[in-house]
Every structure is written in structure tokens, then in C-alpha cells.
Amino acid sequence: MAAAGARGTEGIVELRQLRCFVTVAEELHFGRAAERLYMAQPSVSQQVQRLERELGVLLFDRSPRRVRLTGAGEEFLAAARAVLAAEDDARAVAARLRTAPVRTFRVGTVNGMGERLDCIVDAFAQARPAVRVDLVSLPVRERLARVAAGELDAAFLRGPRDPAPGMCFIPAWDDEIVAAIPAAHSLARQERLALPDLAGLHLRLPERQVNPALVDLVLDRCRQEGVQPVPGPTSTTLQDTLATIGAGGAATWTVVYAANARLLLSRRVAFRPFAPTPLTLPMAIAVRESDARSRLLRLLTAAACGD
């Protein structure tokens, strides 16, 4: 099957025509050229004649005794060889891409990363298209265990971390935490909320074993500001918790990662940052010490942190 090449003055110059022309130019004999191309001699002659018609120039002087290039043919030969060489290069690249092994980079993720996950996937697609990124959501202990066992290449973790043998924790960014309150509550008219403002509302938090870093952060901040939160029902999923908060009834509140809040549009729930200082939780990337300098890790860190 012929492939399209460059556009001539009367039509499309095909790669097949160029290949026939170059072979005849090298052999200066249509019969020998046909043998090299595994084609019938009349077919080779026809392809060269079509090329000449489409270019509008005579490429060969033909006589019963010999074939030779015209001046135009000699000048066109270099260009034809360049086109065929480019085709060979393109085929070689395609073959390499077909046979290249696909590397999988496995990353343990956490809730509330928002647009950062899109940035990570986009960065790898652009910079390392041969690497497939697998994003895996797991409980924090399992995330760490899988990194240590080599089953994950890296994992995001919130909260401070004590040193661990063979592990490296790379600081990434600080996640802001915001309060989620009923949009109909009078507190929703404030741009920022202090913890004492929320003292009269029931606080819904997940079980500590589910998210120890977040629970400890909120309760420690309450103690620092002398607030004794009124415990509400334990949070289940974020969707169910926000639906309950927005439904009214007994006024309740919870905390949400700001990155999540930006993606959650609800007319019944208002998200407000904390005052007088933001409430933040540090994020780190856990890797094995042997992988701490890998190029893929640097790309992951740059993409996630917006560098």
C-alpha cells in the first residue's frame, strides 16, 4: 500500500514513487531496479513516470541503450533520499515505542489532594510518556508498609513523621484545613472563623485510627485555644458528613482540606478558613532511602508541589 509523501504541482508524491526513482537512479537500469524492489519492470517505469508528471520535470534521459539522470534528476535525488531517510527514522521510532517496556510508577495517595493529582498525571504524560502512573488510595499504615516493601514507589503522608529505618520523608507542602458549617448558620456570614466561634456546634471528626494526623491537629489546636469541642457523631464519608451538616437540625461542623473544598460546590455548606492563623497540616512524600534521588521522584515532587 502506498503512503502519501510531499505534494507536487499536479498531485501527491508518494513514497513508493520516490523509492522507485532513487533505486533506478542508483542502478541506472530499470530492470535491475525492478529486481531490487521485487517489482515488475513496467510497474517501476509507471511509478517513475507518474512522479515526473506530478513534479512537472523530466528526471531521466531514456534511450534504448542507457538510462541517465537529467540535471533536474540529479538535483532532486538528494531531496528524495532525505524524504526516504526521514521515513526510515519515523518507522524506527514507532518500532521502538511499540517494543519499549512500560514502566509503572506506583504512588500512594491521600484524600484532599485536589488538583495536585491532575498535575502529577499531566506532568508524567508530558515529560515521561513511557511511564504509567498508578495512583493507589490506601490507609496510612498500609501506604507506609507498601513503600517499605517496594510495592509502592512513593506515598503521600500528612502530619509529622518520626525517622524510620530505610525510609526517607521528603517535605512537600502544608495543607490548609478549613471549617465546614451549615450555610444557613449565622457564622457563615463571617469570612474567617476562630475556634471559640464554633464552641457551641457539635464537632464531627473521623475515628482517630482513620486519620490520626488530622484528628490530633484539630484537638491540639482546640486545647491550645482553650476550647472544649462538643463531640458529635463520628464522621463516615465526607459526602455523608457534609450532607448531614447542610441538612441543618442540630448544628454541626467538621474540617475539610482546602483543596477538597475548592472542588466541592454546595449551597448548603459553607467553607471558611480559620483565624487568627490558618490551620495547616504538613504533607510529605515517603520513599525508600535507595530511591530518594530518582528522576521520577523529582518529577513527582515538582509536579505535586507546583515547582
Side-chain angles (χ1 to χ4, degrees):
M1 183 176 66
R7 183 176 293 276
T9 57
E10 298 180 12
I12 298 296
V13 173
E14 297 179 352
L15 293 173
R16 177 174 53 183
Q17 296 168 350
L18 296 178
R19 204 169 287 113
C20 288
F21 162 68
V22 170
T23 307
V24 173
E26 291 173 350
E27 295 292 340
L28 293 178
H29 192 281
F30 279 90
R32 290 194 296 270
E35 290 178 2
R36 277 181 54 185
L37 293 167
Y38 299 99
M39 295 173 63
Q41 181 174 334
S43 296
V44 175
S45 297
Q46 289 171 5
Q47 292 298 323
V48 173
Q49 289 169 2
R50 288 175 184 170
L51 177 62
E52 289 176 322
R53 286 197 302 270
E54 288 164 2
L55 295 175
V57 296
L58 190 65
L59 300 174
F60 292 104
D61 282 331
R62 301 165 176 84
S63 72
R65 302 183 62 180
R66 67 175 184 174
V67 175
R68 65 180 180 181
L69 286 165
T70 63
E74 291 178 354
E75 188 171 346
F76 184 69
L77 180 59
R81 283 173 168 159
V83 172
L84 295 178
E87 183 214 6
D88 290 341
D89 290 343
R91 290 183 181 275
V93 170
R96 178 175 56 79
L97 293 176
R98 285 195 303 269
T99 59
V102 176
R103 165 76 192 278
T104 300
F105 191 67
R106 301 151 300 178
V107 182
T109 62
V110 296
N111 292 328
M113 290 186 64
E115 305 95 334
R116 294 182 190 269
L117 290 180
D118 293 333
C119 293
I120 291 169
V121 174
D122 289 346
F124 273 82
Q126 293 173 13
R128 301 297 293 270
V131 177
R132 185 183 69 200
V133 180
D134 277 357
L135 303 176
V136 185
S137 179
L138 296 166
V140 59
R141 289 184 180 178
E142 190 171 352
R143 253 178 282 147
L144 277 173
R146 291 201 182 188
V147 172
E151 297 172 7
L152 288 178
D153 296 291
F156 290 95
L157 301 168
R158 286 193 178 94
R161 294 286 157 185
D162 295 327
M167 297 287 291
C168 180
F169 300 105
I170 302 170
W173 67 86
D174 287 338
D175 255 341
E176 184 178 4
I177 313 295
V178 298
I181 61 174
H185 197 281
S186 59
L187 288 174
R189 293 194 289 269
Q190 299 179 201
E191 292 186 2
R192 293 179 174 272
L193 296 174
L195 281 172
D197 298 333
L198 299 165
L201 281 65
H202 290 74
L203 172 60
R204 299 174 63 97
L205 288 176
E207 295 281 356
R208 186 180 182 280
Q209 63 184 15
V210 174
N211 196 336
L214 179 63
V215 172
D216 290 347
L217 175 74
V218 174
L219 296 182
D220 287 347
R221 179 73 171 263
C222 286
R223 281 192 291 270
Q224 292 170 11
E225 298 195 16
V227 175
Q228 181 63 45
V230 181
T234 301
S235 291
T236 52
T237 66
L238 178 60
Q239 175 180 295
D240 292 347
T241 299
L242 294 179
T244 302
I245 290 173
T252 59
W253 69 286
T254 191
V255 289
V256 177
Y257 301 113
N260 261 1
R262 287 192 291 270
L263 300 177
L264 297 170
L265 299 177
S266 174
R267 58 186 177 82
R268 295 186 175 186
V269 179
F271 301 102
R272 297 291 181 266
F274 286 96
T277 58
L279 188 64
T280 60
L281 196 58
M283 179 76 83
I285 302 174
V287 294
R288 294 178 299 280
E289 286 183 347
S290 57
D291 296 333
R293 295 187 178 182
S294 76
R295 293 181 179 179
L296 293 181
L297 177 62
R298 290 200 295 270
L299 178 58
L300 173 71
T301 304
C305 300
D307 295 343

